[in-house]
Amino acid sequence: MAGPAPVRAALRARLSEAGLIRWLGGAGALIPALALAFILVSLILEALPAIRLNGWSFFTSSAWNPGSGYGAVIITDGVRHPQGSDFGAGPLIVGTLASSAIALVIAVPVSIGAALVIVERLPRRLGNLIGVFLELLAGIPSVIIGLWGVLTFGPFISRYVAPVIARNMPDVPVLKFFGGSTGTGLGLLNSGLILAIMVIPIIAATARDLIRQVPILPREGAMALGLSDWECARRVTLPWVGSGIIGAIVLGLGRALGETIAVAMVSGSITGSYPSNVYSAMTTFAATIVNQLDGALGEATGFWLKTLAECALVLMVITLATNVAARLLVRKVSGTALPVGRGL
């Protein structure tokens, strides 16, 4: 029988081998995948009764009625639910995607432009100072930004900005969505603008760090070939870090899709109807879940809570689909050769 000394020596030899490092690294890489799978499976199991009862009409219907809490409990297809309960996520899907789209339309050009100016135009000390402010803006709690949106930003937009846009928009089918009543400042436009403010620091800070990594020789070569500053940025700098910028945009989109408290405060939180224009009150999946979770927990049959779990599942699927599409786009962009010279 081996003594303790040989056992310790064998154990020390095993610990010093590279195999242990590989094992720990593999376990660390597996944990996020297991966590994602656990969350997804948990949501599916919790939402199955709601999926079975709500059916495909859940994605197109605009009804949102938890039912009577004092009426008789009805059993349909083996699922217990209150009398009169009827749920549809059509407005939630529109609100989530529309507010995120508004945020990205505003945030992406502002963020990339700010990153280019910080890196290529401003003195390094001033650029670093502005970068610090960007990072501080990213760290502000969303509830503070939401409160600012309710008290200051939303009323300002509804009084001075929205009326100008609504009066000057042509009366054509697409742009008509920007006309009509401008509301009180709680609605789709304010939600998109607040999300843009929250997304800009994420995209701008990441793009700034990426642009700083572009070698100076390709840019100097492009300038020597006669490209202007804008052409150099568009044809050399941005393509060089294109895949990274797409990743930054996806990070910002994930923040916009899943933002909860700020949107719940500035959206108006109206369920059961589509926004009539860009100023109308609306809601998103995340805002609906946080606003109605307390009431759903007190509902006797639990069907309301299972419907919120279905909403969370749909939001998670949208987020995962967005990330998968972004990865495919990153592969395509990263394999693209860099153009050289004017007009190529």
Side-chain angles (χ1 to χ4, degrees):
M1 184 174 181
V7 172
R8 286 197 300 270
L11 182 60
R12 192 180 302 110
R14 295 291 296 176
L15 290 176
S16 63
E17 292 178 357
L20 179 61
I21 298 177
R22 288 196 299 268
W23 183 85
L24 291 175
L30 190 61
I31 289 175
L34 291 177
L36 178 63
F38 178 74
I39 295 172
L40 188 60
V41 171
S42 300
L43 286 177
I44 292 174
L45 294 178
E46 186 67 27
L48 270 178
I51 294 173
R52 188 164 62 247
L53 186 58
N54 290 329
W56 289 107
S57 62
F58 180 74
F59 299 97
T60 57
S61 173
S62 61
W64 192 271
N65 184 10
S68 174
Y70 302 98
V73 175
I74 300 175
I75 300 178
T76 305
D77 295 334
V79 179
R80 299 174 70 250
H81 62 95
Q83 184 178 5
S85 61
D86 187 14
F87 295 98
L92 277 65
I93 296 174
V94 172
T96 300
L97 297 180
S99 59
S100 299
I102 293 173
L104 287 188
V105 166
I106 297 172
V108 170
V110 171
S111 302
I112 296 177
L116 286 170
V117 169
I118 289 173
V119 175
E120 298 189 352
R121 285 297 178 187
L122 296 181
R124 190 168 186 84
R125 289 185 178 180
L126 181 58
N128 290 336
L129 180 62
I130 295 178
V132 169
F133 283 111
L134 274 177
E135 292 163 1
L136 289 176
L137 182 60
I140 297 177
S142 58
V143 66
I144 296 178
I145 297 180
L147 186 62
W148 171 72
V150 171
L151 298 178
T152 304
F153 189 67
F156 174 80
I157 293 296
S158 65
R159 292 174 188 171
Y160 303 108
V161 178
V164 176
I165 298 175
R167 283 196 306 266
N168 295 281
M169 276 295 159
D171 191 13
V172 296
V174 176
L175 298 180
K176 189 182 293 186
F177 191 66
F178 293 86
S181 173
T182 57
T184 62
L186 299 180
L188 177 58
L189 179 62
N190 196 22
S191 300
L193 294 174
I194 289 295
L195 287 175
I197 293 172
M198 301 178 71
V199 165
I200 284 174
I202 299 174
I203 302 177
T206 307
R208 176 203 60 190
D209 294 338
L210 290 169
I211 293 172
R212 281 178 175 170
Q213 297 175 10
V214 177
I216 189 63
L217 291 180
R219 288 186 286 174
E220 290 180 346
M223 300 293 289
L225 290 173
L227 271 68
S228 64
D229 292 341
W230 161 242
E231 289 173 329
C232 179
R234 183 168 60 91
R235 296 177 178 273
V236 177
T237 304
L238 294 181
W240 196 283
V241 295
S243 59
I245 289 179
I246 292 176
I249 294 173
V250 172
L251 285 176
L253 178 59
R255 175 71 183 272
L257 289 172
E259 177 54 41
T260 304
I261 295 299
V263 175
M265 296 173 71
V266 303
S267 65
S269 299
I270 297 295
T271 55
S273 63
Y274 293 95
S276 59
N277 58 23
V278 76
Y279 317 106
S280 299
M282 40 72 72
T283 188
T284 64
F285 279 116
T288 299
I289 291 171
V290 74
N291 281 330
Q292 301 192 6
L293 182 60
D294 187 55
L297 289 172
E299 197 265 307
T301 65
F303 182 70
W304 191 359
L305 184 62
K306 297 181 187 305
T307 300
L308 294 183
E310 185 178 6
C311 291
L313 180 62
V314 174
L315 178 59
M316 188 172 183
V317 169
I318 292 174
T319 305
L320 292 178
T322 302
N323 280 272
V324 170
R327 288 185 65 85
L328 296 176
L329 184 59
V330 165
R331 287 185 179 182
K332 184 177 180 180
V333 171
S334 61
T336 304
L338 291 176
V340 178
R342 183 188 296 273
L344 294 180

